Amino acid sequence: MQLLGFFLALVGLAATVAATFMVEWKKQAQGKTYRIYEGLWMSCSGNERTTCEFHESLLKLPSEVQATRAVMLLSIFLSAVALLVSTVGMKCTRFMDSKVESKSTTAMIGGIMFIVAGLLTLIITSWYVKMIVQTFYESHRLQSFEFGKAVFVSWAGGLLTMAGGVFLSCRRCSRSERDESISSNHLLPTSSSKSNYV
């Protein structure tokens, strides 16, 4: 279960990083062949051959681009820290072997951090899409930007990161239930043997 959660979160982190640096956050078609793509870091335009340029000034960027860029970077940072914390707390690693309870708690903390990181990605991506749709209708479809592939990659990354965090954080609950069932099984025959002896 821990390995499954870890690899799901790892794939989610990779998708989040890829989406952050993709160009197709929103796109616009002018004519049949001319395309304009805008990302968080650069914009591209052209027909068959596109030319790209980085956003030079941070203050000139729209508010949704600035906010999305900041939250996506925060999500990546949290996922990277959660990756290290989960590695320490997983049962298949040899860190903190002498402290079983602390090791399990560490894995749970890493899972919670993954959940928060994935939730941040989903929230900011959905808000970015909402701003695109709102601008689309307010401009009466004259500024016909649509959300691109990076949005779907970001959504997938957030969902996978959250799913991996759930598996990692719920591992502690399943472990405690299993320990309680084992201890109850040990108590039952002991009490019966004492009663037979008396």
Side-chain angles (χ1 to χ4, degrees):
M1 294 287 288
Q2 283 185 340
L3 283 175
L4 176 61
F6 184 82
F7 284 120
L8 282 176
L10 188 63
V11 173
L13 173 59
T16 304
V17 173
T20 303
F21 295 99
M22 285 177 68
V23 180
E24 292 187 39
W25 276 83
K26 60 181 179 179
K27 59 183 180 179
Q28 184 182 30
Q30 295 181 353
K32 294 183 178 180
T33 58
Y34 195 80
R35 298 289 185 271
I36 298 176
Y37 303 102
E38 289 193 11
L40 303 179
W41 306 93
M42 66 175 65
S43 58
C44 301
S45 60
N47 296 318
E48 295 180 357
R49 298 181 61 183
T50 57
T51 57
C52 300
E53 57 181 15
F54 286 95
H55 300 310
E56 295 180 357
S57 177
L58 179 63
L59 299 177
K60 292 181 180 179
L61 292 175
S63 59
E64 64 267 19
V65 176
Q66 296 182 30
T68 305
R69 181 193 288 188
V71 176
M72 291 295 286
L73 290 177
L74 177 61
S75 175
I76 292 172
F77 174 75
L78 277 177
S79 295
V81 175
L83 202 65
L84 298 175
V85 174
S86 301
T87 302
V88 174
M90 289 174 63
K91 295 180 70 176
C92 58
T93 61
R94 297 197 174 276
F95 301 103
M96 301 172 63
D97 279 343
S98 59
K99 302 177 180 179
V100 179
E101 191 67 24
S102 299
K103 189 178 178 72
S104 179
T105 304
T106 304
M108 183 183 66
I109 292 173
I112 294 173
M113 292 177 69
F114 274 129
I115 294 174
V116 174
L119 192 61
L120 285 175
T121 302
L122 290 176
I123 291 174
I124 197 61
T125 305
S126 301
W127 180 74
Y128 184 87
V129 170
K130 178 187 175 183
M131 295 299 293
I132 294 176
V133 174
Q134 183 177 345
T135 305
F136 179 79
Y137 285 109
E138 286 180 354
S139 61
H140 303 288
R141 303 188 180 185
L142 297 176
Q143 190 180 2
S144 56
F145 272 105
E146 301 175 355
F147 47 89
K149 297 177 182 178
V151 170
F152 299 102
V153 177
S154 182
W155 273 331
L159 288 173
L160 288 173
T161 304
M162 285 188 67
V166 168
F167 279 113
L168 284 167
S169 60
C170 285
R171 183 60 181 171
R172 178 177 171 82
C173 302
S174 62
R175 180 183 176 276
S176 62
E177 289 176 359
R178 188 182 64 210
D179 290 345
E180 288 175 3
S181 62
I182 291 175
S183 61
S184 62
N185 289 334
H186 281 301
L187 287 173
L188 287 174
T190 304
S191 59
S192 63
S193 60
K194 288 183 178 179
S195 60
N196 291 333
Y197 177 76
V198 173

